[in-house]
Amino acid sequence: MTADEVNHFVAYCKKIQPQSQEEIKRFFEGVVSFPYDNELLLQAYLFLNIKQIFPLCSELLLFEKSPIADYTDLGKCDFVYLTSLGQILIVETKFIDTEATGATERKRRNKHRNKVFEQVITLKSRFSEYWNIKLEQLECAVFTTDPEVAWRGNGMNVVTKSVSMNKLKYWRINYKSIVSC
């Protein structure tokens, strides 16, 4: 991917994701104040703490948008970031209830773990094909509430990060005091 290709892709993203970083920040701060969806709360945590979680991320390019024009049937990306190294980072999030018990819940967690990896790897491939981006210019990441995903990323070339459900709850409750420090 050359600088021109990066600029072309960034221009495309700004067209379909016209909100400023500040507008997106206000949206996620609203999610923290009025959480109604655990997945969205997890995404708010990621966005509002991106520099601590993925330090190379420099700019959010897409949030919950299809990377391939209007073809949402081909999948939407949770987050696409431009890194300070000029690479594209695709991040898929998944809230996985690690507190639920029983055989059915274990199966559900395993299904969610597999699905989030499948999603991000498929998106990477589609990005590469559609935008003519070399695979080495695309990075994949998974962010969940389940630390069990860490080992799954090994050998798949997927960066894995997680936040515990307890830490996520604590952060939500104390967000305003954390920000004002």
Side-chain angles (χ1 to χ4, degrees), residues 80-107:
V80 178
Y81 278 92
L82 181 63
T83 72
S84 56
L85 302 175
Q87 293 184 308
I88 305 297
L89 177 68
I90 304 164
V91 183
E92 282 297 306
T93 59
K94 182 63 77 182
F95 184 90
I96 299 173
D97 187 352
T98 57
E99 295 174 350
T101 59
T104 302
E105 290 302 321
R106 278 194 304 277
K107 287 178 187 172

Side-chain angles (χ1 to χ4, degrees), residues 147-166:
E148 287 284 317
V149 299
W151 64 268
R152 291 174 185 246
N154 299 340
M156 290 185 170
N157 204 19
V158 176
V159 178
T160 57
K161 302 282 183 158
S162 64
V163 61
S164 71
M165 289 175 59
N166 286 337

Side-chain angles (χ1 to χ4, degrees), residues 16-31:
I16 68 163
Q17 186 84 55
Q19 300 88 348
S20 70
Q21 301 292 305
E22 194 55 41
E23 289 170 316
I24 295 169
K25 181 180 178 196
R26 281 194 300 274
F27 166 75
F28 280 123
E29 286 175 335
V31 168

Side-chain angles (χ1 to χ4, degrees), residues 22-103:
E22 194 55 41
E23 289 170 316
I24 295 169
K25 181 180 178 196
R26 281 194 300 274
F27 166 75
F28 280 123
E29 286 175 335
V31 168
V32 175
S33 299
F34 301 102
Y36 56 89
D37 179 280
N38 287 328
E39 180 84 13
L40 204 49
L41 180 62
L42 179 66
Q43 291 173 339
Y45 181 89
L46 176 62
F47 179 82
L48 296 168
N49 295 285
I50 193 67
K51 288 296 185 186
Q52 292 80 26
I53 301 166
F54 296 109
L56 294 178
C57 289
S58 60
E59 182 182 359
L60 177 65
L61 298 176
L62 296 175
F63 168 66
E64 286 293 339
K65 299 279 187 193
S66 172
I68 304 168
D70 292 326
Y71 295 103
T72 54
D73 60 320
L74 297 177
K76 293 190 295 187
C77 298
D78 289 340
F79 291 95
V80 178
Y81 278 92
L82 181 63
T83 72
S84 56
L85 302 175
Q87 293 184 308
I88 305 297
L89 177 68
I90 304 164
V91 183
E92 282 297 306
T93 59
K94 182 63 77 182
F95 184 90
I96 299 173
D97 187 352
T98 57
E99 295 174 350
T101 59

